[in-house]
Amino acid sequence: MHQATIFLLMGCLARSALSQQDRIPPPDVKENCDQNGGILHWKETDEWWHCQYCVGGAPYVDPLGNAGCCPPNKQHSFHSGTQKGKCCEPGTQFNGATCERPHNPEVCSGADVCPQSDHDLGIQYGHCYVMTDIGGNWFGVDHQGVYKVGGENSGTIFRVCKDKTDCSVDISTPVPLQGGFFMQDQMGPANGNGFGWWGDNTPHMAVQQTSDNAAHLSGDSTCYNGKCAICLNLVDGGLSSPCEMPRGTAHVGRNANPNTCKSFHFQEVKCRQEKKKT
């Protein structure tokens, strides 16, 4: 594995007999380290301050005080059981032997769903999810039923379905990369009755009562700031914001370019029981 160049400022910079909690690095030492994008840490064996910084990579200091550099586009992951660490791809964790994608979190854990392999999205057919955009804003609908980030009715619960007539088909099977699926809206339209569907109401995506015009979605696995996400598009087109909106909000709509997609973090929640008015 490529290891980026490491520079250590080693010397009697802050030799001291003070206890760990009372040690404060000299201001000039801390400033110099910060300016170089490094991590300042105290090394017990030397009783010296060390600045760990890297060229073309990311510095790290593990809980044992070991310092080093990870190659570009990797991050350090420490395994407490083996007291060892390794530089891993974003979205993966060191398990004591190798880097692996974490297993999908339990329902309502608040953790973002991650792929179980290199061939799936992490979400599963028949399971239910809430979504946030990469800025942390909840996804739902506005007062007109149009899907919107930061909408008036946020936190819509969606059930991922392989078949828009039967959400139990292939239940608990991971959705493959660019594999098609439909989204049952488990809140439904405000003026409707029962659950609804993520509908393709071009140019916008909007909640609809029936699955007749349900959007056939697909996606690619991606990540932002080390957190797993899915970049959603359509089986036969792309998704983007169709109109200008205030900062922190956005509608979702169809476009012709299949490369365009909208990224969301997914968290698994309990599916709802459908209620209908009589």
Side-chain angles (χ1 to χ4, degrees), residues 101-155:
R101 296 191 184 278
H103 297 297
N104 273 334
E106 295 182 0
V107 174
C108 288
S109 70
D112 297 323
V113 170
C114 288
Q116 299 179 33
S117 72
D118 292 333
H119 309 291
D120 70 85
L121 296 175
I123 55 175
Q124 300 176 56
Y125 292 123
H127 290 222
C128 293
Y129 304 91
V130 290
M131 300 155 58
T132 59
D133 74 348
I134 59 176
N137 303 296
W138 291 101
F139 184 71
V141 296
D142 65 13
H143 66 286
Q144 295 180 317
V146 175
Y147 286 120
K148 181 181 179 182
V149 172
E152 293 86 343
N153 301 287
S154 295

Side-chain angles (χ1 to χ4, degrees), residues 3-4 22 27 35 53 55 72 93 97 101 127 131 135 142 148 159 166 189 221 240 269-270:
Q3 180 72 28
D22 291 331
Q35 288 177 348
Y53 67 100
V55 176
Q93 298 175 351
R101 296 191 184 278
H127 290 222
M131 300 155 58
D142 65 13
K148 181 181 179 182
R159 189 176 187 187
D166 183 1
S221 176
S240 64
V269 296
K270 183 179 179 181

Side-chain angles (χ1 to χ4, degrees), residues 139 146-149 198-199 201 203-206 217 232 239-243 250-254 262 264:
F139 184 71
V146 175
Y147 286 120
K148 181 181 179 182
V149 172
W198 175 316
N201 189 28
H204 293 90
M205 299 289 122
L217 298 160
L232 291 180
L239 285 179
S240 64
S241 299
C243 54
H251 283 148
V252 178
R254 168 189 286 273
K262 293 286 289 184
F264 294 97

Side-chain angles (χ1 to χ4, degrees), residues 202-253:
T202 302
H204 293 90
M205 299 289 122
V207 58
Q208 297 185 1
Q209 184 70 74
T210 70
S211 63
D212 294 344
N213 200 34
H216 200 187
L217 298 160
S218 63
D220 284 311
S221 176
T222 186
C223 59
Y224 292 88
N225 295 320
K227 296 181 179 180
C228 298
I230 299 173
C231 206
L232 291 180
N233 55 15
L234 297 166
V235 169
D236 60 348
L239 285 179
S240 64
S241 299
C243 54
E244 185 176 355
M245 300 285 292
R247 184 176 179 84
T249 65
H251 283 148
V252 178

Side-chain angles (χ1 to χ4, degrees), residues 15 28 34 36 85 98 116 141 147 154 177 257 276 278:
R15 186 179 294 276
D28 58 331
D34 290 344
N36 285 282
T98 187
Q116 299 179 33
V141 296
Y147 286 120
S154 295
L177 290 175
N257 187 347
K276 289 193 174 183
T278 56

